[in-house]
Protein backbone atom coordinates (compact mmCIF):
# COMPACT_ATOMS: atom_id res chain seq x y z
CA UNK A 1 0.00 0.00 0.00
CA UNK A 2 1.31 3.44 -0.94
CA UNK A 3 1.76 6.21 1.56
CA UNK A 4 -0.39 9.34 1.26
CA UNK A 5 2.58 11.24 -0.20
CA UNK A 6 3.14 8.55 -2.81
CA UNK A 7 -0.56 8.60 -3.69
CA UNK A 8 -0.44 12.37 -4.11
CA UNK A 9 2.59 12.06 -6.41
CA UNK A 10 0.79 9.41 -8.49
CA UNK A 11 -2.33 11.56 -8.83
CA UNK A 12 -0.18 14.60 -9.67
CA UNK A 13 1.43 12.60 -12.50
CA UNK A 14 -1.97 11.66 -13.92
CA UNK A 15 -3.09 15.31 -13.66
CA UNK A 16 0.14 16.50 -15.33
CA UNK A 17 -0.21 13.97 -18.17
CA UNK A 18 -3.82 14.98 -18.79
CA UNK A 19 -2.96 18.71 -18.70
CA UNK A 20 -0.11 18.15 -21.15
CA UNK A 21 -2.38 16.42 -23.71
CA UNK A 22 -4.89 19.26 -23.44
CA UNK A 23 -2.51 22.24 -23.42
CA UNK A 24 0.25 21.10 -25.81
CA UNK A 25 -1.35 22.27 -29.09
CA UNK A 26 -2.03 25.68 -27.55
CA UNK A 27 1.53 25.95 -26.23
CA UNK A 28 3.00 25.11 -29.65
CA UNK A 29 0.65 27.27 -31.72
CA UNK A 30 0.36 30.55 -29.86
CA UNK A 31 -2.79 32.64 -30.25
CA UNK A 32 -0.89 35.82 -31.15
CA UNK A 33 0.67 34.21 -34.22
CA UNK A 34 -1.25 33.02 -37.27
CA UNK A 35 -1.87 29.26 -37.15
CA UNK A 36 0.17 27.46 -39.88
CA UNK A 37 -1.92 26.51 -42.91
CA UNK A 38 -1.40 22.78 -42.45
CA UNK A 39 -2.56 22.92 -38.82
CA UNK A 40 -5.57 25.02 -39.82
CA UNK A 41 -6.37 22.34 -42.40
CA UNK A 42 -6.12 19.64 -39.71
CA UNK A 43 -8.34 21.78 -37.47
CA UNK A 44 -11.23 21.53 -39.87
CA UNK A 45 -10.76 18.01 -41.28
CA UNK A 46 -9.98 16.28 -37.98
CA UNK A 47 -13.32 16.65 -36.10
CA UNK A 48 -15.39 14.29 -38.33
CA UNK A 49 -12.66 11.64 -38.01
CA UNK A 50 -12.44 12.20 -34.26
CA UNK A 51 -16.23 11.76 -33.90
CA UNK A 52 -15.84 8.45 -35.75
CA UNK A 53 -13.00 7.48 -33.40
CA UNK A 54 -15.18 8.34 -30.39
CA UNK A 55 -18.05 6.20 -31.69
CA UNK A 56 -15.71 3.22 -32.04
CA UNK A 57 -14.05 4.02 -28.70
CA UNK A 58 -17.38 4.01 -26.88
CA UNK A 59 -18.25 0.66 -28.46
CA UNK A 60 -14.83 -0.96 -27.98
CA UNK A 61 -15.96 -3.45 -25.32
CA UNK A 62 -18.87 -4.82 -27.35
CA UNK A 63 -18.52 -8.59 -27.89
CA UNK A 64 -18.82 -9.51 -31.55
CA UNK A 65 -18.50 -13.26 -30.95
CA UNK A 66 -22.11 -13.82 -29.84
CA UNK A 67 -25.40 -12.36 -31.07
CA UNK A 68 -26.46 -11.19 -27.59
CA UNK A 69 -23.11 -9.43 -27.35
CA UNK A 70 -23.79 -6.87 -30.04
CA UNK A 71 -27.48 -7.04 -30.96
CA UNK A 72 -28.66 -4.50 -28.31
CA UNK A 73 -26.05 -1.97 -29.50
CA UNK A 74 -26.83 -2.64 -33.15
CA UNK A 75 -30.61 -2.25 -32.67
CA UNK A 76 -30.27 0.86 -30.51
CA UNK A 77 -27.92 2.53 -33.01
CA UNK A 78 -30.35 1.59 -35.79
CA UNK A 79 -33.15 3.32 -33.87
CA UNK A 80 -30.97 6.39 -33.26
CA UNK A 81 -30.22 6.67 -36.99
CA UNK A 82 -33.92 6.33 -37.82
CA UNK A 83 -34.99 8.88 -35.21
CA UNK A 84 -32.29 11.31 -36.22
CA UNK A 85 -33.13 11.21 -39.93
CA UNK A 86 -36.82 11.57 -39.03
CA UNK A 87 -36.80 14.46 -36.53
CA UNK A 88 -33.17 15.52 -36.35
CA UNK A 89 -33.59 16.33 -32.68
CA UNK A 90 -30.47 15.54 -30.69
CA UNK A 91 -32.29 14.98 -27.41
CA UNK A 92 -35.01 12.77 -28.92
CA UNK A 93 -32.42 10.61 -30.71
CA UNK A 94 -30.21 10.24 -27.64
CA UNK A 95 -33.03 9.66 -25.14
CA UNK A 96 -34.91 7.30 -27.48
CA UNK A 97 -31.80 5.24 -28.23
CA UNK A 98 -30.71 5.03 -24.59
CA UNK A 99 -34.13 4.07 -23.17
CA UNK A 100 -34.56 1.47 -25.92
CA UNK A 101 -31.09 0.07 -25.11
CA UNK A 102 -31.90 -0.10 -21.37
CA UNK A 103 -35.13 -2.01 -22.08
CA UNK A 104 -33.20 -4.38 -24.35
CA UNK A 105 -30.47 -5.22 -21.82
CA UNK A 106 -32.79 -5.31 -18.80
CA UNK A 107 -35.81 -7.13 -20.23
CA UNK A 108 -35.04 -8.79 -23.54
CA UNK A 109 -31.43 -10.01 -23.46
CA UNK B 1 -21.29 41.13 -20.27
CA UNK B 2 -24.24 41.99 -18.04
CA UNK B 3 -25.84 39.57 -15.62
CA UNK B 4 -28.74 39.22 -18.04
CA UNK B 5 -26.38 38.26 -20.84
CA UNK B 6 -24.83 35.64 -18.58
CA UNK B 7 -28.25 34.24 -17.76
CA UNK B 8 -29.32 34.07 -21.40
CA UNK B 9 -26.02 32.39 -22.35
CA UNK B 10 -26.49 29.87 -19.57
CA UNK B 11 -30.09 29.31 -20.68
CA UNK B 12 -28.86 28.66 -24.20
CA UNK B 13 -26.05 26.34 -23.07
CA UNK B 14 -27.99 24.21 -20.58
CA UNK B 15 -30.27 22.29 -23.03
CA UNK B 16 -27.20 21.38 -25.12
CA UNK B 17 -25.69 19.71 -22.06
CA UNK B 18 -28.78 17.63 -21.11
CA UNK B 19 -27.43 14.36 -22.56
CA UNK B 20 -24.23 14.98 -20.58
CA UNK B 21 -26.28 15.67 -17.46
CA UNK B 22 -27.77 12.18 -17.80
CA UNK B 23 -24.52 10.50 -18.79
CA UNK B 24 -22.18 12.20 -16.33
CA UNK B 25 -24.50 11.91 -13.36
CA UNK B 26 -24.69 8.21 -14.02
CA UNK B 27 -21.03 7.63 -14.88
CA UNK B 28 -19.91 9.97 -12.09
CA UNK B 29 -21.95 7.97 -9.58
CA UNK B 30 -20.49 4.77 -11.05
CA UNK B 31 -17.01 6.24 -10.55
CA UNK B 32 -17.75 7.18 -6.93
CA UNK B 33 -19.10 3.70 -6.24
CA UNK B 34 -16.05 2.17 -7.94
CA UNK B 35 -13.60 4.19 -5.84
CA UNK B 36 -15.59 3.28 -2.73
CA UNK B 37 -15.40 -0.40 -3.67
CA UNK B 38 -11.60 -0.09 -3.98
CA UNK B 39 -11.58 1.11 -0.38
CA UNK B 40 -10.91 4.83 -0.87
CA UNK B 41 -12.63 7.45 1.29
CA UNK B 42 -14.99 9.84 -0.60
CA UNK B 43 -12.44 12.66 -0.82
CA UNK B 44 -10.42 10.65 -3.38
CA UNK B 45 -13.24 10.38 -5.92
CA UNK B 46 -14.22 14.01 -5.35
CA UNK B 47 -10.73 15.50 -5.71
CA UNK B 48 -9.75 13.25 -8.61
CA UNK B 49 -12.91 14.15 -10.54
CA UNK B 50 -12.17 17.86 -10.01
CA UNK B 51 -8.44 17.69 -10.78
CA UNK B 52 -8.14 15.05 -13.50
CA UNK B 53 -11.59 15.47 -15.11
CA UNK B 54 -11.02 12.82 -17.75
CA UNK B 55 -13.50 9.99 -17.17
CA UNK B 56 -11.75 6.86 -18.34
CA UNK B 57 -8.41 8.01 -16.94
CA UNK B 58 -9.92 8.45 -13.48
CA UNK B 59 -11.06 4.83 -13.39
CA UNK B 60 -7.55 3.77 -14.43
CA UNK B 61 -6.00 6.08 -11.82
CA UNK B 62 -8.07 4.38 -9.12
CA UNK B 63 -6.51 1.02 -9.93
CA UNK B 64 -3.04 2.60 -10.34
CA UNK B 65 -3.22 3.79 -6.72
CA UNK B 66 -3.59 0.19 -5.61
CA UNK B 67 -0.58 -1.00 -7.60
CA UNK B 68 3.13 -0.30 -7.32
CA UNK B 69 4.45 3.24 -6.82
CA UNK B 70 5.63 4.13 -10.31
CA UNK B 71 4.96 7.79 -11.15
CA UNK B 72 6.74 7.75 -14.50
CA UNK B 73 4.71 4.87 -15.90
CA UNK B 74 1.54 6.52 -14.55
CA UNK B 75 2.50 9.66 -16.48
CA UNK B 76 3.21 7.72 -19.71
CA UNK B 77 0.01 5.71 -19.41
CA UNK B 78 -1.93 8.95 -19.01
CA UNK B 79 -0.33 10.41 -22.15
CA UNK B 80 -1.34 7.32 -24.09
CA UNK B 81 -4.92 7.13 -22.86
CA UNK B 82 -5.48 10.86 -23.28
CA UNK B 83 -3.56 11.37 -26.54
CA UNK B 84 -6.84 12.07 -28.36
CA UNK B 85 -6.98 15.45 -26.56
CA UNK B 86 -4.17 16.58 -28.91
CA UNK B 87 -6.61 16.37 -31.81
CA UNK B 88 -9.22 18.30 -29.82
CA UNK B 89 -6.71 21.06 -29.14
CA UNK B 90 -5.72 21.32 -32.82
CA UNK B 91 -9.41 21.53 -33.76
CA UNK B 92 -10.13 24.23 -31.17
CA UNK B 93 -7.07 26.48 -31.77
CA UNK B 94 -9.07 29.07 -33.67
CA UNK B 95 -12.35 28.69 -31.78
CA UNK B 96 -10.67 29.43 -28.46
CA UNK B 97 -8.90 32.51 -29.84
CA UNK B 98 -10.05 35.74 -28.24
CA UNK B 99 -11.79 34.09 -25.29
CA UNK B 100 -9.53 35.87 -22.77
CA UNK B 101 -8.84 34.40 -19.35
CA UNK B 102 -11.57 31.79 -19.82
CA UNK B 103 -9.30 30.07 -22.32
CA UNK B 104 -7.27 28.41 -19.55
CA UNK B 105 -10.39 26.78 -18.14
CA UNK B 106 -11.75 25.90 -21.60
CA UNK B 107 -8.55 23.94 -22.28
CA UNK B 108 -8.36 22.48 -18.77
CA UNK B 109 -11.93 21.19 -18.94
CA UNK B 110 -11.81 19.91 -22.52
CA UNK B 111 -13.13 16.38 -21.99
CA UNK B 112 -14.60 14.34 -24.89
CA UNK B 113 -18.13 15.61 -24.27
CA UNK B 114 -17.27 19.30 -23.86
CA UNK B 115 -15.17 19.08 -27.00
CA UNK B 116 -17.94 17.61 -29.17
CA UNK B 117 -20.49 20.19 -28.01
CA UNK B 118 -18.17 23.17 -28.24
CA UNK B 119 -16.83 22.05 -31.59
CA UNK B 120 -20.23 21.49 -33.23
CA UNK B 121 -22.47 24.15 -31.68
CA UNK B 122 -23.22 27.17 -33.84
CA UNK B 123 -24.05 30.00 -31.46
CA UNK B 124 -26.43 32.73 -32.65
CA UNK B 125 -24.98 36.24 -32.97
CA UNK B 126 -26.50 37.52 -29.71
CA UNK B 127 -24.74 34.79 -27.70
CA UNK B 128 -21.05 35.20 -26.85
CA UNK B 129 -19.44 31.98 -28.04
CA UNK B 130 -16.58 32.16 -25.51
CA UNK B 131 -18.96 32.33 -22.56
CA UNK B 132 -21.18 29.70 -24.17
CA UNK B 133 -18.25 27.26 -24.32
CA UNK B 134 -17.27 28.24 -20.78
CA UNK B 135 -20.72 27.38 -19.42
CA UNK B 136 -20.90 24.12 -21.38
CA UNK B 137 -17.54 23.07 -19.91
CA UNK B 138 -18.44 24.22 -16.39
CA UNK B 139 -21.87 22.53 -16.38
CA UNK B 140 -20.32 19.29 -17.62
CA UNK B 141 -17.71 19.36 -14.87
CA UNK B 142 -20.37 20.13 -12.24
CA UNK B 143 -22.40 17.09 -13.40
CA UNK B 144 -19.34 14.85 -13.25
CA UNK B 145 -18.10 16.01 -9.85
CA UNK B 146 -21.63 15.90 -8.36
CA UNK B 147 -22.10 12.36 -9.63
CA UNK B 148 -18.74 11.23 -8.22
CA UNK B 149 -19.54 12.88 -4.89
CA UNK B 150 -22.97 11.27 -4.61
CA UNK B 151 -21.58 7.90 -5.67
CA UNK B 152 -18.74 7.90 -3.19
CA UNK B 153 -20.91 9.10 -0.29
CA UNK B 154 -24.08 7.11 -0.84
CA UNK B 155 -23.02 4.06 -2.84
CA UNK B 156 -25.09 1.66 -0.72
CA UNK B 157 -28.33 3.58 -1.27
CA UNK B 158 -28.48 3.22 -5.04
CA UNK B 159 -31.05 0.57 -5.92
CA UNK B 160 -32.64 1.82 -9.18
CA UNK B 161 -31.86 -0.57 -12.02
CA UNK B 162 -29.46 1.47 -14.14
CA UNK B 163 -28.26 -1.35 -16.41
CA UNK B 164 -27.60 0.09 -19.84
CA UNK B 165 -27.71 3.77 -18.86
CA UNK B 166 -24.03 4.07 -19.77
CA UNK B 167 -25.16 3.75 -23.40
CA UNK B 168 -26.16 7.44 -23.26
CA UNK B 169 -22.55 8.40 -24.01
CA UNK B 170 -22.42 6.09 -27.04
CA UNK B 171 -25.75 7.57 -28.16
CA UNK B 172 -24.31 11.09 -27.86
CA UNK B 173 -21.27 10.24 -29.97
CA UNK B 174 -23.40 8.44 -32.58
CA UNK B 175 -25.72 11.46 -32.86
CA UNK B 176 -22.82 13.92 -33.14
CA UNK B 177 -21.29 11.71 -35.83
CA UNK B 178 -24.66 11.50 -37.69
CA UNK B 179 -25.23 15.24 -37.46
CA UNK B 180 -21.82 15.87 -38.98
CA UNK B 181 -22.49 13.20 -41.63
CA UNK B 182 -25.79 14.83 -42.63
CA UNK B 183 -24.27 18.25 -43.15
CA UNK B 184 -20.94 17.42 -44.80
CA UNK B 185 -20.69 17.26 -48.55
CA UNK B 186 -17.87 14.79 -48.52
CA UNK B 187 -17.65 11.90 -46.07
CA UNK B 188 -13.95 11.17 -46.44
CA UNK B 189 -12.90 12.29 -42.95
CA UNK B 190 -15.86 10.63 -41.19
CA UNK B 191 -15.16 7.40 -43.06
CA UNK B 192 -11.43 7.38 -42.33
CA UNK B 193 -12.20 7.98 -38.64
CA UNK B 194 -14.41 4.89 -38.46
CA UNK B 195 -12.25 2.73 -40.74
CA UNK B 196 -8.92 3.50 -39.04
CA UNK B 197 -10.41 2.97 -35.57
CA UNK B 198 -12.08 -0.35 -36.42
CA UNK B 199 -8.95 -1.59 -38.18
CA UNK B 200 -6.70 -0.68 -35.25
CA UNK B 201 -9.18 -2.08 -32.73
CA UNK B 202 -8.96 -5.44 -34.54
CA UNK B 203 -5.17 -5.28 -34.92
CA UNK B 204 -4.12 -3.86 -31.54
CA UNK B 205 -7.01 -4.63 -29.19
CA UNK B 206 -9.11 -2.42 -26.90
CA UNK B 207 -6.20 -1.18 -24.77
CA UNK B 208 -3.83 0.02 -27.49
CA UNK B 209 -5.80 1.04 -30.56
CA UNK B 210 -6.23 4.80 -30.10
CA UNK B 211 -2.71 6.01 -30.89
CA UNK B 212 -2.21 3.89 -34.04
CA UNK B 213 -5.71 4.95 -35.17
CA UNK B 214 -4.78 8.62 -34.62
CA UNK B 215 -1.59 8.14 -36.63
CA UNK B 216 -3.43 6.55 -39.57
CA UNK B 217 -6.02 9.36 -39.51
CA UNK B 218 -3.27 11.98 -39.44
CA UNK B 219 -1.26 10.40 -42.27
CA UNK B 220 -4.31 9.80 -44.44
CA UNK B 221 -5.74 13.30 -44.00
CA UNK B 222 -2.31 14.80 -44.73
CA UNK B 223 -1.97 12.76 -47.93
CA UNK B 224 -5.33 13.91 -49.30
CA UNK B 225 -4.79 17.57 -48.35
CA UNK B 226 -4.40 18.83 -51.90
CA UNK B 227 -7.68 17.22 -53.00
CA UNK B 228 -9.81 18.79 -50.29
CA UNK B 229 -11.09 22.31 -49.88
CA UNK B 230 -12.53 23.62 -46.63
CA UNK B 231 -16.17 23.86 -47.68
CA UNK B 232 -16.24 20.22 -48.71
CA UNK B 233 -15.80 19.01 -45.17
CA UNK B 234 -17.61 21.52 -43.05
CA UNK B 235 -20.63 23.61 -43.81
CA UNK B 236 -22.19 25.62 -41.07
Amino acid sequence: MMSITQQIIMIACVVAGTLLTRFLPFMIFKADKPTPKYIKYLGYVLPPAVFGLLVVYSLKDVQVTSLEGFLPELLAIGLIIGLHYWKRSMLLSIAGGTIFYMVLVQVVF
Amino acid sequence: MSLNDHLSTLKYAFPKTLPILAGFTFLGIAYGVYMHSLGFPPIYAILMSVLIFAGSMEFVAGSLLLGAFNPFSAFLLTLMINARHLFYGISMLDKFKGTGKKKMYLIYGMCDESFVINNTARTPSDINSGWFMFYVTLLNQIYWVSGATVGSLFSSLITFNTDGLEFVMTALFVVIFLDQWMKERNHISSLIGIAASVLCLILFGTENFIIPAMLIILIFLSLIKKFITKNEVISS
Side-chain angles (χ1 to χ4, degrees):
Chain A
M1 193 69 192
M2 281 180 227
S3 69
I4 296 283
T5 317
Q6 286 178 321
Q7 288 182 340
I8 292 172
I9 294 171
M10 287 290 278
I11 294 171
C13 286
V14 174
V15 172
T18 305
L19 286 179
L20 187 62
T21 58
R22 285 182 181 157
F23 277 89
L24 195 62
F26 297 90
M27 298 189 312
I28 298 175
F29 307 107
K30 296 266 170 35
D32 51 4
K33 289 194 194 117
T35 313
K37 259 194 154 158
Y38 170 62
I39 299 300
K40 256 187 161 19
Y41 163 75
L42 286 181
Y44 61 72
V45 290
L46 273 180
V50 172
F51 302 152
L53 174 75
L54 281 171
V55 169
V56 177
Y57 178 67
S58 69
L59 289 166
K60 68 181 178 357
D61 296 315
V62 170
Q63 297 299 322
V64 286
T65 44
S66 71
L67 204 59
E68 299 87 56
F70 67 90
L71 209 51
E73 283 80 5
L74 192 69
L75 293 174
I77 290 175
L79 178 72
I80 292 173
I81 295 173
L83 281 175
H84 208 62
Y85 268 89
W86 180 42
K87 289 283 182 188
R88 211 168 171 176
S89 148
M90 214 157 170
L91 277 185
L92 175 76
S93 309
I94 292 173
T98 306
I99 293 166
F100 181 56
Y101 180 82
M102 289 177 76
V103 171
L104 286 179
V105 295
Q106 289 185 16
V107 184
V108 185
F109 290 95
Chain B
M1 266 206 356
S2 69
L3 182 64
N4 258 340
D5 289 340
H6 277 283
L7 280 178
S8 57
T9 309
L10 192 58
K11 237 183 234 166
Y12 184 75
F14 176 66
K16 311 244 177 225
T17 66
L18 278 177
I20 326 285
L21 172 61
F24 272 16
T25 307
F26 171 69
L27 289 172
I29 290 177
Y31 177 62
V33 172
Y34 171 76
M35 288 299 282
H36 178 83
S37 73
L38 294 183
F40 292 107
I43 190 71
Y44 280 79
I46 298 167
L47 278 182
M48 285 163 75
S49 60
V50 172
L51 294 172
I52 305 174
F53 191 43
S56 46
M57 194 55 226
E58 288 171 42
F59 280 91
V60 175
S63 63
L64 281 179
L65 287 180
L66 293 178
F69 177 67
N70 194 337
F72 186 65
S73 77
F75 180 72
L76 283 185
L77 186 66
T78 309
L79 292 185
M80 283 177 58
I81 292 180
N82 286 336
R84 63 189 187 283
H85 294 148
L86 295 170
F87 279 10
Y88 303 170
I90 291 172
S91 308
M92 297 308 274
L93 281 171
D94 285 351
K95 287 190 192 240
F96 284 175
K97 266 186 187 165
T99 50
K101 284 188 188 138
K102 296 186 291 300
K103 189 170 170 182
M104 294 308 258
Y105 180 68
L106 287 174
I107 302 172
Y108 174 79
M110 195 171 52
C111 62
D112 300 331
E113 293 74 11
S114 299
F115 164 72
V116 296
I117 294 189
N118 287 338
N119 187 269
T120 53
R122 302 273 174 266
T123 44
S125 53
D126 57 325
I127 299 283
N128 178 307
S129 74
W131 279 106
F132 167 79
M133 294 190 289
F134 176 82
Y135 282 123
V136 166
T137 310
L138 182 66
L139 285 169
N140 287 348
Q141 187 162 20
I142 290 173
Y143 304 151
W144 178 254
V145 174
S146 311
T149 307
V150 169
S152 56
L153 289 175
F154 308 108
S155 57
S156 53
L157 301 177
I158 296 155
T159 49
F160 159 59
N161 187 352
T162 53
D163 277 0
L165 188 52
E166 74 283 355
F167 191 75
V168 70
M169 292 314 359
T170 306
L172 170 76
F173 294 140
V174 169
V175 168
I176 293 281
F177 180 82
L178 269 181
D179 232 38
Q180 169 69 32
W181 183 274
M182 287 158 79
K183 71 185 179 199
E184 67 196 3
R185 266 183 265 172
N186 158 333
H187 299 307
I188 192 89
S189 178
S190 296
L191 287 173
I192 188 66
I194 295 279
S197 307
V198 171
L199 179 73
C200 290
L201 183 60
I202 295 167
L203 289 178
F204 300 100
T206 55
E207 301 299 319
N208 300 309
F209 80 99
I210 293 182
I211 291 183
M214 285 172 63
L215 285 174
I216 292 180
I217 290 169
L218 199 60
I219 292 167
F220 188 84
L221 290 176
S222 301
L223 287 177
I224 60 163
K225 180 170 185 288
K226 55 179 157 192
F227 304 109
I228 281 203
T229 54
K230 181 171 180 173
N231 57 7
E232 282 182 62
V233 183
I234 47 166
S235 54
S236 41

